[in-house]
Amino acid sequence: MGSKSITIPALSKIKVTTDEVDLGQDNAGDSQSSAVLLPQLHTKIPNVVNSKGNYLYTDDGLEILDATGGAAVACIGHNNPRVKAAIVDQLDKIEYCYSQFFTTPPVEKLSRYLTESTGGLMSRVFIVSSGTEAIEAAIKMARQYFTELPEPQLQRIRFIARKQSYHGNTMGALGTGSHVARRAIYEPMLSPHVSHVSACYPYRGKNDSESDASYVARLAQELEDEFQRVGPDTVCAFVAETVAGATLGAVPPVPGYFAAMKEVCTRHGALFILDEVMSGMGRTGTLHAWEQEGVTPDLQTVAKGLGAGYMPIGALLIGKKVVDVLDHGSGAFVHSQTYQGHALACAAAYEVQAIMQEEDLLANVREMGDYLGISLQQRLGSHPNVGDIRGRGLFWALEFVKDKEKKEPFPAKSQLAKRLQATGVQKEFCISLIPGNGTADGKDGDHIILAPAYNTTRAEIDTIVDRTEKVIKAVLG
Ligand SMILES: Cc1ncc(COP(=O)(O)O)c(C=O)c1O
């Protein structure tokens, strides 16, 4: 047939330096020499070869302060000896077995911890490997709930989510969120059964003369109107990030917002889903961000702070009301994945949670979070391009504007947030920042997020604020 034979390289011949794989001699991470599909095919990114605490070390000798734990993930810092030992200990027993056939002590322990952390309000846990997978599971669980009610409601196929939201990147999760740029080319393929109402975004959404209460009433009315528009009995659930993260930039809800949203859902028999992939597991100062809102979700997703990056892990927490319906219905969730409930991931996450508890890290999140917020305000509040500084716990964002009075955003094409992030990792600054765009309306507008580890110190916060200020001044003047 004239087929060419390909010689598979011997793994032993792949070049290594000390204990790292050298992808291209002195050009590791370079688009020309890397076999990795880099985020920007033509842009070199730093090659991290080591880490300690909240610092990353690159192959060219930089010591980068990880002020964001990656994407708000590494919440107890890097290279933690206790978590490493827990992983090795579990490796000595069983690394993986198929969750359809077997359970294991780490998945049992982690799930028990999570349900007890909600006082039993969430009564079962479905452990997956990412935030996106947790959201996919939530969407499916919501649908299944309505198919198994004593009087099934098969017409419920719709979801209402919020503008400038992010819920992940598979087709179902992307179709739920509203990140305009990430959706754009896939738009024709995304679910037509999701619609979006305004986020709770006081900086741009609340009128100057409006009280929190009337702003909340207006948003509740908008949700009510959307239920009416699509047909209240066709909606499975309303989905929202408890503290809006990646697309909107660390925006806490105004008081009473979620209670009002849940009331609308309850009135129409729809479920209330909170996505705490970014804001949960301690990031905002309580283990669950909803604890500060006086509401309990029917379904809740968590991920980043659960395993702190030591292993990929996410989870769907399922409220008792939903579990009871399944219990009396088919008795099985119509969804599964090969790596669900991975033993090593669960062992790592359990140890992360033990460390957070034993070291009382949530108290530190609250204290250092307040200090970070005050410091950012003092140092950057009067910068002409810093329109808003907001956040909760160790989850803060700066929103940038061209004109502070008019709150005019920078256009998407200026790629401001991306430039701030890329500048941050240069050797003059050595700080990792999370960039976000589409802040103002899903398309234009920029923010950066700071999400230091829960064990950060005042001295480290001072360094974070110093370096962030320098980066902003270097890029914006
Ligand atoms: C609120 C929220 N949901 C879902 C996701 C998707 O999580 P992952 O990237 O782990 O799939 C993210 C990621 O940033 C997120 O912030």
Side-chain angles (χ1 to χ4, degrees), residues 5-51:
S5 74
I6 295 171
T7 310
I8 297 172
L11 285 167
S12 59
K13 297 268 169 62
I14 301 283
K15 281 192 156 196
V16 289
T17 59
T18 58
D19 54 350
E20 272 75 44
V21 176
D22 182 354
L23 292 170
Q25 282 131 337
D26 52 351
N27 270 335
D30 190 308
S31 58
Q32 299 309 308
S33 61
S34 176
V36 176
L37 184 71
L38 295 169
Q40 301 291 323
L41 264 59
H42 306 293
T43 308
K44 180 177 169 165
I45 53 175
N47 187 17
V48 174
V49 293
N50 216 332
S51 65

Side-chain angles (χ1 to χ4, degrees), residues 287-309:
L287 194 65
H288 305 296
W290 52 258
E291 291 173 56
Q292 298 174 58
E293 301 308 317
V295 292
T296 311
D298 295 310
L299 297 170
Q300 173 192 0
T301 53
V302 294
K304 297 167 187 271
L306 178 60

Side-chain angles (χ1 to χ4, degrees), residues 71-73 129-135 165-170 173 182 240-247 274-280 301-304 312-314 395 434 449:
V73 173
S129 307
S130 70
T132 297
E133 290 173 32
I135 280 287
S165 57
Y166 185 61
H167 295 295
N169 239 344
T170 52
R182 288 182 194 171
E241 295 158 84
T242 315
V243 174
T247 313
L274 288 179
D275 180 353
E276 300 208 348
V277 164
M278 205 173 205
S279 60
T301 53
V302 294
K304 297 167 187 271
I313 189 165
F395 192 32
I434 303 176
I449 294 178

